[in-house]
Amino acid sequence: MKPTPVPLADVDLTNLDYFEHNEAWGMFDTLRSEDPLHWQDELVGDGHGFWSVTRYEDIERVNKDGDTFTSTKFVNLEEPPAEFQDLRRSILESDGTRHQALRKLLARDFSVAQLRRYEEFLRDLVRVSINEAFIRQDVDFVDAIAADFPINVLARLLDVPDEMIPQLIQWGNTIVGFSDPELSQVLVDSDEAQKYKHLPFRNPVSMEIFEYGRQLAKERRGGDGEDLVSKLVNRIPEDGVPLTDTDFDNYFLLLVVAGNETTRQAMTLSMKTLMDNPDQLQYFLDNMDKSQQMVEELIRYASPVYHFRRTATKDVEMHGKTIKEGDKVVMWFASGNRDPEKFANPYELDLTRFPNDHMTFGKGPHSCLGANLARLEIRILFEELLPRLATIEQTGDIERVRSNFVNEIGRAHV
């Protein structure tokens, strides 16, 4: 359903109420049509404000031009102090040859060809989750299926014991939920967070993740393991510059968080969308041979990450305004996925949509490293789950995470 546009004077992309109530889409519609390069003040925290780009073509332009719009000044709205930026820098906050070298460390492991060997393992894994959910019948879809499946895959890729899975889930929830008081003990804009400015998302939980990763690295350094940790500690990037201890810490944290959270969000949002569109659910069932194409539409519609940001390296003219050197520029990927100039009837779930050049996984050199794995997990989930459903419906309210970074459902009882 197309949302009601929010008057331009009322647009506030820092107001988490809009996002918690799933009402941000009206703001995106207004900005795309009336103010495609929009300045947003930040009245809470120490941010200096940011430019928002909401049209597909503008987002694509910013995301592909790393020389003009750099990632090295960080990619979330938070502005880490200069003295802590190198300490907090991950592959996300790098550009150019170093970024490519860090990316290629694990790129082959996430290729389509390499991931094919996991398909039967993934099917067996998701069947276990489905069987357990069906025994209970009335479940929280997030907890019973969407969280359980990808985190088990991550545990396999990292080669960590099953008893660590609840801890991995908790760590991911806390890091990604940095603005939600139910998930994070230290909110990123709080006074207490000032003590943790040297840590990712100003969150002390980062140290727990670092310590666990260092323990694994110590055990596997010099070995011949095939897990992701072994490859990180034993491979040299193609630029010849080895990973520092800090590089490893931040890479490991990114794997723990990104390897679970966004796929879980996409699964839950996709299931909610199919429940809201029973004709499309039936179409999926009737056309399983087209599941790869249909998953692309589910991913577009889900848009589990609202935004990433860049920083201008020089003055830039866009839409009759000047972005100044040093200004933050936020790419609202979720808005790009609803741009009617790119997608006909963008607020309709259309599993026949093709081509489907969505930007859920980003565009350009910083596109999501784990996109192929996410696609595979989502496809296998729905291929295994949907044929076994007689009916599925909500049995309680949908509870969304209070965030303008992730588009996440925290609980969904079905």
Side-chain angles (χ1 to χ4, degrees), residues 79-357:
E79 300 170 25
E83 64 267 30
F84 297 131
Q85 290 186 7
D86 285 341
L87 186 63
R88 290 181 51 173
R89 191 174 309 284
S90 74
I91 184 175
L92 294 179
E93 292 85 26
S94 61
D95 280 327
T97 56
R98 184 57 177 170
H99 173 79
Q100 287 302 313
L102 292 172
R103 185 181 179 90
K104 287 183 179 180
L105 268 178
L106 297 181
R108 184 172 177 273
D109 300 281
F110 289 103
S111 68
V112 172
Q114 285 294 103
L115 291 172
R116 284 198 190 102
R117 60 181 177 167
Y118 289 109
E119 181 151 351
E120 283 310 307
F121 162 72
L122 295 175
R123 289 194 185 277
D124 290 341
L125 195 59
V126 78
R127 286 169 188 152
V128 171
S129 296
I130 292 170
N131 289 341
E132 292 177 353
F134 274 44
I135 290 171
R136 289 179 282 164
Q137 293 199 19
D138 192 330
V139 299
D140 175 6
F141 186 88
V142 179
D143 178 64
I145 294 179
D148 192 58
F149 179 30
I151 200 67
N152 274 279
V153 176
L154 178 64
R156 170 73 172 261
L157 294 174
L158 297 175
D159 191 19
V160 301
D162 289 348
E163 54 264 31
M164 277 301 299
I165 287 174
Q167 183 65 77
L168 294 174
I169 292 174
Q170 182 182 346
W171 281 337
N173 286 345
T174 303
I175 292 291
V176 170
F178 57 82
S179 60
D180 190 313
E182 186 175 336
L183 296 176
S184 183
Q185 296 175 349
V186 179
L187 297 178
V188 69
D189 287 330
S190 68
D191 291 339
E192 186 180 359
Q194 297 300 313
K195 296 185 295 186
Y196 306 109
K197 290 187 288 188
H198 61 294
L199 295 173
F201 301 104
R202 305 189 183 193
N203 198 314
V205 166
S206 299
M207 281 305 305
E208 297 178 25
I209 301 175
F210 289 164
E211 289 167 7
Y212 184 61
R214 292 165 187 169
Q215 173 188 328
L216 297 177
K218 183 179 179 180
E219 295 169 356
R220 298 172 190 181
R221 186 170 281 111
D224 58 0
E226 288 296 305
D227 60 278
L228 298 184
V229 174
S230 293
K231 290 173 179 178
L232 282 181
V233 296
N234 294 315
R235 288 177 175 174
I236 302 296
E238 68 174 16
D239 63 357
V241 181
L243 291 186
T244 65
D245 291 343
T246 298
D247 290 334
F248 174 81
D249 284 346
N250 292 324
Y251 214 136
F252 180 76
L253 182 144
L254 186 62
L255 288 173
V256 168
V257 176
N260 168 46
E261 284 289 326
T262 52
T263 306
R264 178 181 74 183
Q265 295 156 26
M267 288 175 172
T268 306
L269 290 162
S270 295
M271 189 69 257
K272 171 71 167 70
T273 302
L274 288 172
M275 288 191 295
D276 291 342
N277 295 270
D279 60 321
Q280 294 295 291
L281 194 157
Q282 187 60 51
Y283 181 85
F284 200 121
L285 283 168
D286 294 340
N287 296 274
M288 284 290 186
D289 59 319
K290 300 176 182 176
S291 60
Q292 287 185 325
Q293 173 185 319
M294 295 187 288
V295 163
E296 293 304 313
E297 173 66 353
L298 289 173
I299 292 170
R300 178 197 73 86
Y301 201 90
S303 296
V305 176
Y306 281 120
H307 76 261
F308 273 101
R309 68 108 160 168
R310 300 290 183 260
T311 303
T313 60
K314 59 185 178 183
D315 290 2
V316 184
E317 296 293 320
M318 187 183 292
H319 294 293
K321 300 178 182 179
T322 302
I323 300 171
K324 295 288 189 181
E325 178 183 349
D327 283 353
K328 292 189 294 186
V329 181
V330 176
M331 305 170 292
W332 293 94
F333 294 120
S335 175
N337 279 345
R338 296 294 194 277
D339 190 339
E341 295 298 316
K342 180 68 176 182
F343 303 100
N345 302 313
Y347 285 98
E348 291 183 12
L349 180 72
D350 179 6
L351 296 181
T352 68
R353 192 184 299 275
F354 184 83
N356 198 335
D357 189 20

Side-chain angles (χ1 to χ4, degrees), residues 67-80:
D67 292 333
T68 305
F69 302 100
T70 183
S71 299
T72 61
K73 299 299 182 182
F74 286 71
V75 297
N76 299 113
L77 291 177
E78 182 203 354
E79 300 170 25

Side-chain angles (χ1 to χ4, degrees), residues 19-20 142 172-173 176-177 183 261 264-265 268-269 303-306 398-403 405-411:
F19 294 87
E20 185 176 11
V142 179
N173 286 345
V176 170
L183 296 176
E261 284 289 326
R264 178 181 74 183
Q265 295 156 26
T268 306
L269 290 162
S303 296
V305 176
Y306 281 120
I398 293 293
E399 298 179 26
R400 292 182 174 272
V401 171
R402 187 173 173 79
S403 173
F405 175 51
V406 290
N407 178 20
E408 181 173 0
I409 292 174
R411 295 185 185 88

